Amino acid sequence: MGIVNVTPDSFSDGGAHASTETALRHCEQLLKEGADILDIGGESTRPGSPAVPLDAELARVLPVVREAVKLNVPLSIDTYKPEVMRAVLDLGADIVNDIWALRQPGARELVAAHPSCGICLMHMHRDPQTMQAVPMQGDVIPEVLSFWAAQLTQLHALQIDPSRITLDPGVGFGKTVAQNFALLGRQRELLGAGYPLLLGWSRKSSIGAVTGIEAAGGRMVPSVAAAVLAVDRGAAVVRVHDVRDTVAALAVWRAMKATAPQAQTEQTKEESA
């Protein structure tokens, strides 16, 4: 999933793709680099970021979506506002990627009324304005699983097909550095929820904290490492800025995985001998 920030204040790319024209060029570039899905967002959710008014988000996102649907690839829209969800789905977007996990009034009902859109439910502690000022405490894994269970119950009550749902543990959203890496180290436990996982490690501050790389744009290499580790631990989707490099790294991972049965067979023969 390639990230397309149509914002002037993104933590990672500083508004480099804030206009419709530059955002569409970026969409095309990400697809050339191997992205399978485009994730378009019109509101920064970095820690401490202010909420964006509805009309401003619509003005940023709709012109991009209107043209991006012509690229014939799955379009995910990063929004928590039901009004934006309705508008982009009407234009042909495919997925609602919601940091609030459809907890805003009317959001669940809106996606329930749509016959087929994909849904990504993310765990977030508190809200973007306060989540890192007062991060969560305790064991992050059971907290995330409990949160997902509560939200899934709500969606099941609305008879939403489970095959439409993907889950995101929300790396960096109200969690400490240790908790974020616990999500990676114990990611297979999250598979117990029974749904595909989406992981977003790209250029996050926790990567900066353990590498000492302060500039978000300089965190490509460790971000790619985190993406590969996430896939190796069962992630179905990785949301990334650096598509070309992530695709290349995953090619190496796949090549290694492809030899695993042969290597296991050879080991068994040696042990038998």
Side-chain angles (χ1 to χ4, degrees):
M1 176 183 276
I3 299 170
V4 183
N5 291 316
V6 193
T7 58
D9 56 348
S10 167
F11 86 95
S12 60
D13 49 31
H17 316 300
S19 73
T20 300
E21 182 181 357
T22 56
L24 288 170
R25 285 205 302 265
H26 190 53
C27 288
E28 293 169 351
Q29 181 62 35
L30 293 179
L31 294 177
K32 289 179 182 178
E33 293 178 357
D36 301 297
I37 306 168
L38 297 175
D39 189 53
I40 300 169
E43 177 173 338
S44 175
T45 52
R46 72 189 190 285
S49 59
V52 171
L54 172 62
D55 58 348
E57 185 175 350
L58 288 170
R60 293 173 182 177
V61 170
L62 294 190
V64 179
V65 174
R66 192 173 288 114
E67 295 301 316
V69 294
K70 300 174 185 177
L71 297 172
N72 296 317
V73 296
L75 291 187
S76 167
I77 311 302
D78 184 355
T79 187
Y80 58 85
K81 297 182 179 74
E83 299 88 348
V84 178
M85 296 177 192
R86 178 183 295 108
V88 297
L89 291 172
D90 287 347
L91 287 176
D94 304 284
I95 302 164
V96 170
N97 181 14
D98 184 1
I99 65 168
W100 279 90
L102 302 177
R103 289 179 290 150
Q104 295 295 322
R108 293 189 192 102
E109 291 75 14
L110 190 147
V111 297
H114 192 280
S116 61
C117 72
I119 300 162
C120 183
L121 303 177
M122 195 193 79
H123 174 273
M124 176 173 61
H125 174 68
R126 300 175 70 94
D127 55 55
Q129 290 73 46
T130 63
M131 61 188 180
Q132 291 307 123
V134 188
M136 63 182 294
Q137 298 180 349
D139 189 343
V140 67
I141 301 296
E143 175 67 25
V144 169
L145 289 171
S146 175
F147 173 84
W148 281 342
Q151 307 316 312
L152 289 166
T153 297
Q154 299 272 3
L155 297 192
H156 294 163
L158 293 171
Q159 299 184 327
I160 292 176
D161 188 336
S163 68
R164 295 170 58 185
I165 301 170
T166 299
L167 303 178
D168 180 349
V171 173
F173 283 81
K175 302 169 182 73
T176 65
V177 173
Q179 288 169 336
N180 287 324
F181 281 99
L183 291 173
L184 182 58
R186 298 168 59 191
Q187 185 181 295
R188 290 191 177 90
E189 295 179 43
L190 299 177
L191 294 171
Y195 289 83
L197 297 182
L198 182 153
L199 270 295
W201 275 96
S202 188
R203 305 185 184 180
K204 292 288 176 73
S205 61
S206 286
I207 287 178
V210 299
T211 62
I213 302 173
E214 294 186 8
R219 298 171 188 160
M220 181 274 289
V221 171
S223 293
V224 169
V228 173
L229 289 169
V231 172
D232 191 58
R233 286 158 171 75
V237 183
V238 283
R239 182 178 182 273
V240 305
H241 298 87
D242 304 293
V243 170
R244 180 189 60 186
D245 301 287
T246 307
V247 167
L250 287 172
V252 174
W253 174 82
R254 289 191 182 95
M256 179 272 294
K257 295 290 284 187
T259 69
Q262 178 181 352
Q264 185 63 41
T265 300
E266 292 174 352
Q267 181 180 353
T268 302
K269 289 181 178 178
E270 290 176 1
E271 292 173 351
S272 299

